Every structure is written in C-alpha cells, then in structure tokens.
Amino acid sequence: MVTSTTRQRSAPGRAPLTGRARAVGQGRTGLLLLQASTVLLVLAVWAALAAAGFVSSTALPGPGAVFGRFPELFGDGAYWQAVLDTLRGAVTGFVLAVVVGVPLGLVTGTYAAAERSTRLLVDVLRSFPVIALLPVFLLVLGSTPTTKSTVVFIACVFPVFLQAQYGARSVTPMVAETVRGYRIPRLLRFHRVILPSATPSIMTGLRLAATTSVLVAIGVEVLTTLPGIGHEVVQAQQGDASATAYAYIITAGVIGYTINLLSQVAERRLLRWRPPAHTD
Amino acid sequence: MQRHLKARGSSLVVDGVGKTFGHGADEHRVIEDLSLRVDPGELVCVVGPSGAGKTTLLRCLSGLARPTSGTISYGEQELTKPHADIAVVFQDYRGSLLPWMKVRDNVAFPLEGMGVKRAARRERADECLAAVGLPGVGDKYPWQLSGGMQQRVAIARGLAYEAPVLLMDEPFGSVDAQSRFDLEDLTLSLRERLGITVVVVTHDIDEAVYLGDRVIVLGGSPTTVVDNLTIDLGDDRDQLRTRAHARFADLRTHVLTLIRGDRSAAGSADTPARDEDTPGQAAAVTESAVRR
C-alpha cells in the first residue's frame, strides 16, 4: 500500500501510465480544449459585436484593434512604467499586510481571550469601504505613492488577518493535547504546529489579498492622479484612444491571472505534506 | 514492588481522586474516591466499561487534566501539569501525529522541545523507529502508513521522549487483530528491554489480562476501583499459549464478571467467578459486553 501510493505520487512523466491515469490525462486535454474554445467563443462574440456596429467603435473596438496595440505598447517605456507603478503600490501594500496580518492573526487566533477582545474592533474596522476612505488619505498623505500603498494595505490586511486567525484556531484539540503532553515550548509550538496548521487557511487569505491588492491599486489610480495602469486607462479613454484603454485593462487582467497561478504553485509547494486527495 | 533492577523513575500514586464535569444542575460526577498505585517497572492495565472515565483518569495521570478532588503524585511531587518523566500514547494516533511532519520529525519533535541537537535527534528517532519495528520509514508522511504503523510511530515518539513512564490510552483499539497482537507483544518487549513503567487503559479484558502484571478493574457510578488483581501468568507471555491457559480464562472470567455485574446489579457482584463459565462462553460475552 505504501509503495503504491508513493508510485502514484511520482507518476507524472516517469512510470508508464496506467489505464486510469491515461483516462485522466485525456480528460485534462479535453478540459483544456473546452476552456480554450470558451475563450475563443467570447472573443468571437466580441469581434461580431464590434463588427456589427451595435456599439460605436470608439466605445468598443474589436479584439483585433485592441490586441494590435500591444506591439507598440511593449516597445513603449511608458507602458512598462505604468505596469511597474501599479505593481509597486500593490506589492508594497500587500507585503505590509502580510507582515502585519499573519503574526497578529496567529497570535489572536491562538489565545481565545485575544480573539474575543479584538473581535468587535476588527469587525467595525473591516466594514469601512476602503475606497470611501480614499479622500481622507489624500488629505493626510497627499497624492503620493504612499497613499496608494496605504489604501492597498488596508484593503489587504483584513482578509490576511482573519484567515490567519481562523487558521490558528484550526489546530485540532488532539494536536493541542499532544503538544501539551510532550511539553513543547511556546515558540516551537508557534512555528512547528500553529503555523503549519494555519498554512492552508493563510494561503487562501494571501490569494484573496493578492488579487485585491492589484484591484485596489488600479482603483486608486483611476480616482486620483497617481501614475499606473489605472491612470493610463483614464488618460487613454479621455484621449479617445479606447483601443489603448482596453489594452491596459487586459494587461491588468493578465497580472491578476498570473498572481493566481503563482499563488497556486506556492500553495502546492507549501502544502506538499497533504495527502493527494487534498491537493487535487 | 520494584519489578526490574534497571527500572527508572518514581511511583505514580493516585489518592482519593474525584473528577466532576459541568456545574450546577449539569454537574456530573465521573470518578469518585479512586486510589491506585503504580511502581517503577510495572505494567498495569486499567480496565473498565465504556463511559467509566478511563480516558479522564489517564488524562489526570498524565497531568493534562486536574482532578476535582484528591491528589495524584509522581514520586514526591504532586502532578499538576505534564511531567518530563511521563510520555503519553493517545488513542487517536491519526489525530496525534502531526500530518505536516515526516515520520522521523514527528518522533523527534519532543526532543526538539527539549533542545536536543538536530543530528542527535535524527539518530534517536531512527533508533526508536527501529525499536518499534519500523526501520526506514522516517522520510514518509504519516498518511502514507497504515493504522497499525501509525500507532507504532506514536509509540516510538513516546519512547524518544525517554520518559520512564509510558501511559497508553486504548492504544490498539482501532487497528486490525494481527497488528493488535504484534503491538501488544511489542509493548511487553519494550517494557522488558527498557525497564519502563507502562500503564495501559483499555476496555478489552483479554488484552488487559494478557499484558498486565496487574489489572485494575474500574466500575460503579461514579467510577471507582472495583478490584486490583495480580496477574500470575509469569513474565513470559505468548499470544497462543498464554491465551489458551486455564488460568488466563479464570482471570478473564473474573474480570468480566466484575464488569458485567457492575453493569446489571450496580456493583453487587463481587464473587470471583472461577469455574462458572467455560472460556468459550466467556470469550463470546466479552465481545458483546465490552465492545463500544
């Protein structure tokens, strides 16, 4: 039993495929084809709508026009600068949220009293719509990159904090009893027991926060004069260059999708200890 | 009685212990005025019907829970929290092995808590895995092992802790019959080789009689000690011969009668039951009466 599970785990690309594995492989290719054709279908509908002229070509240029903008944009330093500005704001806020949210969440999640005493404050704070707070930050911090990172931080810190807290609470009573019975010291308990127990939940929080960080960074750029992708979208739209605006929007989408892929890879690596039933 | 010359550690003494759960109208007295003593090197089995508070008693013995009344002491010291001399093997081995750690790290984890260096930890963990008959599985994760193997890992972790006293809570309850026999014999041989004190809490009367130097029978409501039997089957136990022995049948029938009598007549059946039941009947009754 042990050997067979081990073989199954290391199967991809090595051991000859069994009947079932081949079927799964076929299913995967089929799925990819299906997914690709859905994307193509949407593009086709988009192209048809644009060509039929239901919507004016300034409001909705066809996919050809939009994707045709990319070669030029890729050669343009301003495009990369905008991407970089957005990413810098998003990543700074996100990293701060992780550095603050994860330890606080783990500590408050471990001690019931800390969790109970902070619950009201956290619930009130996280209910504030972060974009509505933007004018306040503009007033206090001015229209600076710091404002962007701060707003991103505030938007990201709550999902990270709450997921870490929830994760810390997921230490099973049996594990807690074992750790106590074997007199494991507090620090060791934190990084060898509570942190790994909480990792699946923390990863969910990080994935949420990572997507949110880009979203909020772009939102702030749209609403202020801060440079970045959001700013370029507004500029292009106002300059009647809607194809360029859509190209930037697609860029934002690609960034979001890439973040999702990366976090999936990170999650799979960090949670390698889980039985296969969980990872699939 | 110090059974082994090499026996380490101190005596575990339970004196007039009671344990109550809940408050006010919900108050439920599980254990009352329970006293027992386990000396260094002994293998003592605590047997009792389901719901008799066996696990509660073991949690108190390990310092994980405090009795409501009475005292538990280890040597000169009153036990108020887990002690470095006492290792616990829990009933729920699946839940008590840390799934994110490889088997070797699980076994070595208590040593990590004691500040033992990495290389020494590895070596000690591998020794203990070999001692429970699991050499070469250190790099696997717990879920890659069968239930019986996982429970061996939990025992190896208890051994790695190097505590003179090993407490086991229904340790073989959820493994298959063959693994169960193997684990019982493993427990006997570890006690013999290492001179450790072992307390096994079980609902299985046959297991208690087969393993124990003594069997402490719990019963009544609230639970207390009904009998304290010395098992005179010698040191050399064998799954086939010992279990076929007439004396084994006598002892098991005696314990069974205590437990059943306790159930039907609330502790009035104190009569030793020698020669009343045939071993065959007794075995059948054991299964139905004691299974949870």
Side-chain angles (χ1 to χ4, degrees):
Chain A
M1 184 207 160
V2 173
T3 47
S4 77
T5 30
T6 324
R7 199 172 53 222
Q8 270 172 16
R9 288 191 93 208
S10 60
R14 275 200 223 154
L17 288 176
T18 62
R20 194 158 153 257
R22 206 173 14 245
V24 169
Q26 272 169 358
R28 218 162 265 168
T29 322
L31 186 67
L32 274 178
L33 276 174
L34 207 66
Q35 286 172 335
S37 53
T38 320
V39 173
L40 283 176
L41 186 70
V42 169
L43 285 176
V45 171
W46 176 12
L49 275 175
F54 288 129
V55 194
S56 77
S57 68
T58 46
L60 183 70
V66 170
F67 286 102
R69 295 290 300 131
F70 278 114
E72 196 189 316
L73 285 173
F74 286 164
D76 185 355
Y79 173 82
W80 296 110
Q81 188 57 46
V83 170
L84 205 70
D85 281 333
T86 298
L87 282 181
R88 192 179 294 144
V91 170
T92 310
F94 171 78
V95 168
L96 274 176
V98 172
V99 169
V100 172
V102 170
L104 273 183
L106 288 178
V107 170
T108 56
T110 306
Y111 302 103
E115 197 263 323
R116 274 198 296 273
S117 55
T118 54
R119 191 184 296 157
L120 177 68
L121 180 70
V122 170
D123 280 348
V124 169
L125 285 181
R126 76 189 175 110
S127 308
F128 281 107
V130 65
I131 291 294
L133 289 173
L134 189 58
V136 179
F137 286 108
L138 284 174
L139 211 62
V140 177
L141 299 168
S143 188
T144 59
T146 315
T147 302
K148 199 200 290 182
S149 324
T150 307
V151 175
V152 168
F153 164 78
I154 290 172
C156 291
V157 76
F158 289 107
V160 171
F161 170 82
L162 289 171
Q163 286 292 321
Q165 192 177 60
Y166 178 74
R169 288 210 311 260
S170 73
V171 174
T172 62
M174 198 58 242
V175 165
E177 185 119 319
T178 306
V179 165
R180 215 154 70 79
Y182 284 105
R183 311 198 322 154
I184 303 297
R186 187 170 309 202
L187 261 178
L188 194 61
R189 180 162 60 107
F190 253 98
H191 86 267
R192 294 281 271 158
V193 180
I194 296 172
L195 188 59
S197 304
T199 302
S201 170
I202 292 176
M203 285 311 297
T204 308
L206 295 195
R207 217 172 41 218
L208 271 167
T211 323
T212 308
S213 69
V214 176
L215 195 97
V216 170
I218 292 174
V220 171
E221 289 156 9
V222 169
L223 296 169
T224 65
T225 54
L226 287 165
I229 292 173
H231 187 65
E232 296 301 324
V233 172
V234 175
Q235 290 277 300
Q237 230 152 24
Q238 285 168 354
D240 266 345
S242 58
T244 310
Y246 279 102
Y248 273 108
I249 291 170
I250 287 171
T251 306
V254 169
I255 290 174
Y257 184 65
T258 311
I259 288 175
N260 240 324
L261 280 185
L262 286 177
S263 52
Q264 270 172 29
V265 171
E267 198 167 327
R268 215 166 292 158
R269 280 187 66 91
L270 279 170
L271 300 178
R272 235 184 321 210
W273 51 267
R274 284 199 182 189
H278 284 281
T279 45
D280 278 347
Chain B
M1 175 192 78
Q2 189 135 335
R3 193 174 175 281
H4 287 259
L5 285 176
K6 57 183 173 181
R8 301 174 291 137
S10 310
S11 297
L12 204 51
V13 179
V14 178
D15 187 20
V17 156
K19 179 77 181 176
T20 307
F21 289 108
H23 298 282
D26 295 330
E27 194 178 278
H28 177 52
R29 197 148 186 78
V30 181
I31 296 173
E32 191 163 67
D33 196 26
L34 190 153
S35 299
L36 60 89
R37 178 189 175 92
V38 181
D39 284 320
E42 273 195 298
L43 200 167
V44 173
C45 292
V46 177
V47 67
S50 302
K54 299 189 295 290
T55 296
T56 304
L57 173 64
L58 189 112
R59 291 187 72 234
C60 291
L61 285 175
S62 64
L64 284 165
R66 297 284 306 272
T68 317
S69 55
T71 56
I72 297 181
S73 47
Y74 178 72
E76 300 296 302
Q77 231 179 321
E78 189 179 342
L79 259 190
T80 53
K81 55 181 197 294
H83 193 285
D85 269 11
I86 301 173
V88 193
V89 175
F90 295 95
Q91 175 176 14
D92 178 9
Y93 50 85
R94 268 179 230 281
S96 90
L97 294 176
L98 308 180
W100 51 86
M101 283 189 198
K102 290 184 173 165
V103 164
R104 180 184 296 112
D105 296 331
N106 258 294
V107 174
F109 192 43
L111 297 172
E112 203 173 340
M114 290 153 69
V116 178
K117 290 273 177 297
R118 192 182 161 77
R121 287 204 306 262
R122 261 185 89 92
E123 196 181 323
R124 177 87 189 123
D126 284 342
E127 276 171 29
C128 292
L129 283 168
V132 298
L134 286 179
V137 302
D139 287 318
K140 294 194 186 304
Y141 285 104
W143 60 265
Q144 293 174 298
L145 306 180
S146 70
M149 289 163 97
Q150 288 182 32
Q151 189 56 297
R152 280 169 194 260
V153 174
I155 295 171
R157 178 174 61 188
L159 295 178
Y161 197 50
E162 294 197 311
V165 180
L166 188 65
L167 304 180
M168 302 171 107
D169 184 11
E170 302 269 4
F172 320 128
S174 40
V175 297
D176 60 275
Q178 185 53 48
S179 301
R180 186 179 188 115
F181 288 158
D182 291 346
L183 287 165
E184 285 168 5
D185 288 336
L186 172 70
T187 308
L188 286 170
S189 87
L190 288 173
R191 191 277 300 262
E192 202 61 45
R193 268 149 52 201
L194 307 173
I196 50 178
T197 312
V198 183
V199 178
V200 180
V201 163
T202 177
H203 64 264
D204 184 320
I205 295 167
D206 288 38
E207 180 166 282
V209 173
Y210 177 69
L211 283 176
D213 300 326
R214 275 195 297 135
V215 170
I216 291 172
V217 185
L218 301 183
S221 182
T223 297
T224 191
V225 173
V226 178
D227 202 356
N228 183 347
L229 281 168
T230 300
I231 304 298
D232 46 2
L233 291 169
D235 284 351
D236 193 20
R237 312 269 169 106
D238 176 275
Q239 291 288 1
L240 291 175
R241 275 186 292 111
T242 306
R243 283 174 191 269
H245 208 282
R247 183 70 187 136
F248 181 87
D250 284 353
L251 289 163
R252 169 236 267 150
T253 308
H254 176 67
V255 175
L256 176 62
T257 312
L258 284 172
I259 287 178
R260 291 198 71 209
D262 175 68
R263 264 198 170 178
S264 51
S268 64
D270 228 12
T271 40
R274 310 267 145 80
D275 309 319
E276 278 184 18
D277 281 319
T278 67
Q281 279 167 340
V285 180
T286 312
E287 296 269 329
S288 59
V290 189
R291 181 174 290 156
R292 301 204 291 164

